[in-house]
Amino acid sequence: EVQLVETGGGLVQPGNSLKLSCATSGFTFSTAWMNWIRQTPGKRLEWLAQIEDKSNNYFISYLESVKGRFTISRDDSKSSVYLQMNNLKEEDTAIYYCTHNNPFAYWGQGTLVTVSS
Amino acid sequence: DIVLTQSPALAVSLGQRATISCKTNQNVDYYGNSYMHWYQQKPGQQPKLLIYLASNLASGIPARFSGRGSGTDFTLTIDPVEADDTATYYCQQSRNLPFTFGSGTKLEIK
């Protein structure tokens, strides 16, 4: 059974940082292309970042509006993907999901990030 | 970026057909495939993949769901609708980065 479990969300003040983790099981992580997607309080879904597998040199793509603030990474030995978020803004408040490959057949339950003073 | 436009809401009577549309501002076809996918999201749950590449039923999804379209015009059809189909339905394109989603269509069953 495919499982993705996101952790690391919480309440953070604007300008601060947070690192999200996504632990996975049930599929061959090392060959999966992993993504982070968020859903805003208004229910809008927004793709944020993708990291490809080793055979593609772990190529990374970002949504332009988070480039330079967010960093996606992976640890194949732990079947985990991460999202480092710096200089957080109130508009980053959302539920953050990790997914693999495309289309996004499997989603975790999400982790809530609230950016507020 | 490719923009996907969906109607915000739709109300359909139980047992009838629901047709949800998604229009894009750019062609999402490439080498014979339409890179359009559909998801269902119920309150408090994560999105669930229903249809991929415009018309292919995802694993475990009942045949009441179907998708069609190409280029810039796509539809998701549920026939017949059941009470459990109350949800928000999103389209998503993977033709170009950044991957983008429609704003969702909320389906109400009357």
Coordinates of all heavy atoms in Angstrom, one line a residue, chain B residues 5-44:
Chain B
T5 N -9.8 27.0 -16.6 CA -11.0 27.7 -16.1 C -12.2 26.7 -15.9 O -12.5 26.0 -16.9 CB -11.4 28.8 -17.1 OG1 -10.4 29.8 -17.3 CG2 -12.7 29.5 -16.7
Q6 N -12.7 26.7 -14.7 CA -13.9 25.8 -14.4 C -15.0 26.7 -13.9 O -14.8 27.7 -13.3 CB -13.5 24.8 -13.3 CG -12.4 23.9 -13.7 CD -12.1 22.9 -12.5 OE1 -11.1 22.9 -11.9 NE2 -13.1 22.0 -12.3
S7 N -16.2 26.3 -14.1 CA -17.4 26.9 -13.5 C -17.3 26.6 -12.0 O -16.9 25.5 -11.6 CB -18.7 26.4 -14.1 OG -18.7 26.7 -15.4
P8 N -17.7 27.5 -11.1 CA -17.6 27.3 -9.7 C -18.5 26.3 -9.1 O -18.1 25.6 -8.1 CB -17.9 28.7 -9.1 CG -18.5 29.5 -10.2 CD -18.1 28.9 -11.5
A9 N -19.7 26.1 -9.6 CA -20.6 25.2 -9.0 C -21.6 24.6 -10.0 O -21.8 25.2 -11.0 CB -21.4 25.9 -7.9
L10 N -22.1 23.5 -9.6 CA -23.1 22.7 -10.4 C -24.0 22.0 -9.5 O -23.5 21.3 -8.5 CB -22.4 21.8 -11.3 CG -23.2 20.9 -12.3 CD1 -23.9 21.8 -13.3 CD2 -22.3 19.9 -13.0
A11 N -25.3 22.0 -9.8 CA -26.3 21.2 -9.0 C -27.0 20.2 -9.9 O -27.5 20.7 -11.0 CB -27.3 22.1 -8.3
V12 N -27.0 19.0 -9.5 CA -27.6 17.9 -10.4 C -28.4 17.0 -9.5 O -28.1 16.7 -8.4 CB -26.4 17.1 -11.1 CG1 -27.0 16.0 -11.9 CG2 -25.6 18.0 -11.9
S13 N -29.5 16.6 -10.1 CA -30.4 15.7 -9.4 C -29.9 14.3 -9.3 O -29.2 13.8 -10.2 CB -31.8 15.6 -10.1 OG -32.4 16.9 -10.0
L14 N -30.1 13.6 -8.2 CA -29.7 12.3 -8.0 C -30.1 11.4 -9.1 O -31.2 11.4 -9.6 CB -30.3 11.8 -6.7 CG -29.8 10.4 -6.1 CD1 -28.4 10.6 -5.7 CD2 -30.7 10.0 -4.9
G15 N -29.1 10.6 -9.6 CA -29.4 9.7 -10.7 C -29.3 10.3 -12.1 O -29.3 9.6 -13.1
Q16 N -29.1 11.6 -12.2 CA -28.9 12.3 -13.5 C -27.4 12.4 -13.8 O -26.6 11.9 -13.1 CB -29.6 13.7 -13.4 CG -31.1 13.6 -13.2 CD -31.8 12.8 -14.2 OE1 -31.7 13.1 -15.4 NE2 -32.5 11.8 -13.7
R17 N -27.2 13.1 -14.9 CA -25.8 13.2 -15.4 C -25.2 14.6 -15.0 O -25.9 15.6 -15.2 CB -25.8 13.1 -16.9 CG -24.4 13.3 -17.6 CD -24.5 13.3 -19.1 NE -24.9 12.0 -19.6 CZ -25.3 11.8 -20.8 NH1 -25.2 12.8 -21.7 NH2 -25.7 10.6 -21.2
A18 N -24.0 14.5 -14.6 CA -23.3 15.8 -14.3 C -22.1 15.9 -15.3 O -21.4 15.0 -15.5 CB -22.7 15.7 -12.8
T19 N -22.0 17.1 -15.8 CA -21.0 17.4 -16.8 C -20.2 18.6 -16.3 O -20.8 19.7 -16.2 CB -21.5 17.6 -18.2 OG1 -22.2 16.5 -18.6 CG2 -20.4 17.9 -19.2
I20 N -18.9 18.4 -16.0 CA -18.1 19.5 -15.5 C -17.1 19.8 -16.6 O -16.4 18.9 -17.1 CB -17.4 19.0 -14.2 CG1 -18.5 18.8 -13.1 CG2 -16.4 20.1 -13.7 CD1 -17.9 18.1 -11.9
S21 N -16.9 21.1 -16.9 CA -16.0 21.5 -17.9 C -14.8 22.2 -17.4 O -14.7 22.7 -16.3 CB -16.7 22.5 -18.9 OG -16.9 23.7 -18.3
C22 N -13.7 22.1 -18.2 CA -12.4 22.7 -17.9 C -11.9 23.2 -19.3 O -11.7 22.4 -20.2 CB -11.5 21.7 -17.3 SG -9.8 22.3 -16.9
K23 N -11.6 24.5 -19.3 CA -11.0 25.1 -20.5 C -9.7 25.7 -20.2 O -9.5 26.3 -19.2 CB -12.0 26.2 -21.1 CG -13.3 25.7 -21.5 CD -14.2 26.8 -22.1 CE -15.6 26.3 -22.4 NZ -15.7 25.2 -23.4
T24 N -8.7 25.5 -21.1 CA -7.4 26.0 -20.9 C -7.1 27.1 -21.9 O -7.7 27.1 -23.0 CB -6.3 24.8 -21.1 OG1 -6.4 24.4 -22.5 CG2 -6.6 23.7 -20.2
N25 N -6.1 27.9 -21.6 CA -5.8 29.0 -22.5 C -4.6 28.6 -23.5 O -4.2 29.5 -24.3 CB -5.4 30.3 -21.7 CG -4.1 30.1 -20.9 OD1 -3.7 29.0 -20.7 ND2 -3.6 31.2 -20.5
Q26 N -4.2 27.4 -23.3 CA -3.2 26.9 -24.3 C -3.5 25.4 -24.5 O -4.0 24.7 -23.6 CB -1.8 27.0 -23.7 CG -1.3 28.4 -23.4 CD 0.1 28.4 -22.8 OE1 1.0 27.6 -23.2 NE2 0.4 29.3 -21.9
N27 N -3.1 24.9 -25.6 CA -3.2 23.5 -26.0 C -2.4 22.6 -25.1 O -1.2 22.9 -24.9 CB -2.8 23.3 -27.5 CG -3.2 22.0 -28.0 OD1 -3.2 21.0 -27.4 ND2 -3.6 22.0 -29.3
V28 N -3.0 21.6 -24.5 CA -2.3 20.7 -23.6 C -2.1 19.3 -24.3 O -1.7 18.4 -23.6 CB -3.0 20.5 -22.2 CG1 -3.1 21.9 -21.5 CG2 -4.4 19.9 -22.4
D29 N -2.2 19.3 -25.6 CA -2.0 18.0 -26.3 C -0.5 18.0 -26.7 O 0.1 19.0 -26.9 CB -2.8 17.9 -27.6 CG -4.3 17.8 -27.3 OD1 -4.6 17.6 -26.1 OD2 -5.0 17.9 -28.3
Y30 N 0.0 16.7 -26.7 CA 1.4 16.6 -27.1 C 1.6 15.1 -27.5 O 1.3 14.2 -26.7 CB 2.3 16.9 -25.9 CG 3.8 16.9 -26.2 CD1 4.3 17.9 -27.1 CD2 4.7 16.0 -25.7 CE1 5.7 18.0 -27.4 CE2 6.0 16.0 -26.0 CZ 6.5 17.0 -26.9 OH 7.9 17.0 -27.2
Y31 N 2.0 14.9 -28.8 CA 2.3 13.6 -29.3 C 1.2 12.6 -29.0 O 1.4 11.5 -28.6 CB 3.6 13.1 -28.8 CG 4.8 13.7 -29.5 CD1 5.5 14.7 -28.9 CD2 5.2 13.2 -30.7 CE1 6.6 15.3 -29.6 CE2 6.3 13.7 -31.4 CZ 7.0 14.8 -30.9 OH 8.0 15.3 -31.5
G32 N 0.0 13.0 -29.3 CA -1.2 12.1 -29.2 C -1.8 12.0 -27.9 O -2.8 11.3 -27.7
N33 N -1.3 12.6 -26.8 CA -1.9 12.6 -25.5 C -2.3 14.0 -25.1 O -1.7 15.0 -25.5 CB -0.9 12.1 -24.5 CG -0.6 10.6 -24.6 OD1 -1.6 9.8 -24.7 ND2 0.6 10.2 -24.5
S34 N -3.4 14.0 -24.4 CA -3.9 15.2 -23.8 C -3.5 15.2 -22.3 O -4.0 14.4 -21.5 CB -5.4 15.4 -23.9 OG -5.8 15.5 -25.3
Y35 N -2.7 16.1 -21.9 CA -2.1 16.1 -20.5 C -3.0 16.8 -19.6 O -2.7 17.9 -18.9 CB -0.7 16.7 -20.5 CG 0.3 15.7 -21.2 CD1 0.4 15.6 -22.5 CD2 1.0 14.8 -20.4 CE1 1.2 14.6 -23.1 CE2 1.8 13.8 -20.9 CZ 1.9 13.8 -22.3 OH 2.7 12.8 -22.9
M36 N -4.2 16.3 -19.4 CA -5.3 16.8 -18.6 C -5.7 15.7 -17.6 O -6.0 14.6 -18.1 CB -6.5 17.3 -19.4 CG -7.6 17.9 -18.6 SD -7.2 19.2 -17.5 CE -6.9 20.5 -18.8
H37 N -5.9 16.0 -16.4 CA -6.3 15.1 -15.3 C -7.4 15.7 -14.5 O -7.5 16.9 -14.3 CB -5.0 14.7 -14.5 CG -3.8 14.6 -15.3 ND1 -3.6 13.6 -16.3 CD2 -2.7 15.3 -15.3 CE1 -2.4 13.8 -16.8 NE2 -1.8 14.8 -16.3
W38 N -8.1 14.8 -13.8 CA -9.2 15.2 -13.0 C -9.1 14.6 -11.6 O -8.8 13.4 -11.5 CB -10.6 14.8 -13.6 CG -11.0 15.5 -14.8 CD1 -10.7 15.1 -16.1 CD2 -11.7 16.7 -14.9 NE1 -11.2 16.1 -17.0 CE2 -11.8 17.1 -16.3 CE3 -12.2 17.6 -14.0 CZ2 -12.5 18.2 -16.7 CZ3 -12.9 18.7 -14.4 CH2 -13.0 19.0 -15.8
Y39 N -9.5 15.4 -10.6 CA -9.4 15.0 -9.2 C -10.7 15.3 -8.5 O -11.4 16.3 -8.9 CB -8.3 15.7 -8.4 CG -6.9 15.5 -9.0 CD1 -6.5 16.2 -10.1 CD2 -6.1 14.5 -8.5 CE1 -5.2 16.0 -10.7 CE2 -4.8 14.3 -9.1 CZ -4.4 15.0 -10.2 OH -3.2 14.8 -10.7
Q40 N -11.0 14.5 -7.5 CA -12.2 14.7 -6.7 C -11.7 15.0 -5.3 O -10.8 14.3 -4.8 CB -13.1 13.4 -6.6 CG -14.3 13.5 -5.7 CD -14.9 12.1 -5.5 OE1 -14.2 11.2 -4.9 NE2 -16.1 11.9 -5.9
Q41 N -12.3 16.0 -4.6 CA -11.9 16.2 -3.2 C -13.1 16.4 -2.4 O -13.9 17.3 -2.6 CB -11.0 17.5 -3.1 CG -10.4 17.7 -1.7 CD -9.5 18.8 -1.6 OE1 -9.7 19.8 -2.3 NE2 -8.5 18.7 -0.7
K42 N -13.2 15.6 -1.4 CA -14.3 15.7 -0.4 C -13.8 16.5 0.8 O -12.6 16.5 1.1 CB -14.8 14.3 0.0 CG -15.4 13.6 -1.2 CD -15.9 12.2 -0.7 CE -16.5 11.5 -1.9 NZ -17.0 10.1 -1.6
P43 N -14.7 17.2 1.5 CA -14.3 18.0 2.7 C -13.4 17.2 3.7 O -13.8 16.1 4.0 CB -15.6 18.4 3.3 CG -16.6 18.4 2.2 CD -16.2 17.2 1.3
G44 N -12.3 17.8 4.0 CA -11.4 17.2 5.0 C -10.5 16.1 4.5 O -9.8 15.5 5.2

